Amino acid sequence: MMKREGLVAVLSGFSGAGKGTIMKHLLEEYPGRYNLSISATTRKPRTGEVDGREYFFKTKEEFEQMISEGKFLEHACFNGNYYGTPLDYVKNLTDQGKDVLLEIEVQGALQVKKIFPDAVLLFVTPPSADALKERLVGRGTETPEEIANRLSISTRESQLMEKYDYLIVNDDLETAVQDVHDIIESEALKTLRNKANIEEMRSELKKFAKGEENS
């Protein structure tokens, strides 16, 4: 059969929920299956992060120039920094029938849904608010004030959870990774993503219908 249409899957969630770790494991456990869209950002690199791998690190001026040129599928300002997804990169992959994973914030995810109405939105959350705070404190990358700000942002983000198609509770990482993979595999089989395959089958079946009429 012919190839299906490429799928856009968006993972969002509270800061510290583990969405980045889930993405990393998906790419490692299913090599060649997924295509990761690398976002641009104006935030400073964390220890171990490399430009062009985790993010494309831009200055505020560079980012705003890209906005003015319409080069983003979505962009948003989160916690004082810009984040955005390159539009051409995503469209080129989906046109080839490839699935694209995006790890972006809530504001950006809702923008993606406007351009790709069939995009699959998944929201990642820890099992409890206390667990979220423990994870933020445990990673040791932010001050208490920054952690308090992230938790405040999470409170606001929780009001938009119903806008998503699926809720992923990241209590056990292995289970969460499998849940995300199973959802995407199921979504890929939907008829709306397989229109070319359906038309091809219908075309092939016409020969039998004609034969039946002639018998």
Side-chain angles (χ1 to χ4, degrees), residues 155-173:
T155 302
R156 297 195 296 272
E157 289 177 333
S158 70
Q159 301 303 312
L160 297 172
M161 293 169 74
E162 288 92 345
K163 299 286 186 180
Y164 283 71
D165 302 304
Y166 298 94
L167 184 68
I168 305 297
V169 179
N170 185 17
D171 189 5
D172 175 74
L173 177 60

Side-chain angles (χ1 to χ4, degrees), residues 36-41 56 58 63 66 70-75 83-93 100 102 104 116:
L36 178 62
S37 177
I38 301 173
S39 297
T41 184
F56 294 112
K58 304 290 183 182
F63 198 102
M66 293 176 71
K71 292 186 175 180
F72 289 117
L73 168 60
E74 56 78 30
H75 66 274
Y83 294 82
T85 302
L87 177 59
D88 288 345
Y89 177 84
V90 175
K91 282 190 173 181
N92 288 339
L93 287 171
V100 185
L102 283 70
I104 53 181
F116 290 97

Side-chain angles (χ1 to χ4, degrees), residues 1-5 191-203:
M1 278 192 166
M2 297 174 63
K3 65 183 181 183
R4 61 177 173 79
E5 298 175 16
T191 54
L192 64 87
R193 305 186 206 285
N194 290 272
K195 294 176 182 176
N197 292 339
I198 292 171
E199 289 304 316
E200 181 182 11
M201 178 58 75
R202 284 174 176 161
S203 178

Side-chain angles (χ1 to χ4, degrees), residues 3-27:
K3 65 183 181 183
R4 61 177 173 79
E5 298 175 16
L7 177 153
V8 175
V10 179
L11 262 72
S12 301
F14 307 127
S15 179
K19 54 188 180 294
T21 303
I22 291 174
M23 294 278 277
K24 179 182 177 182
H25 280 259
L26 279 172
L27 295 172

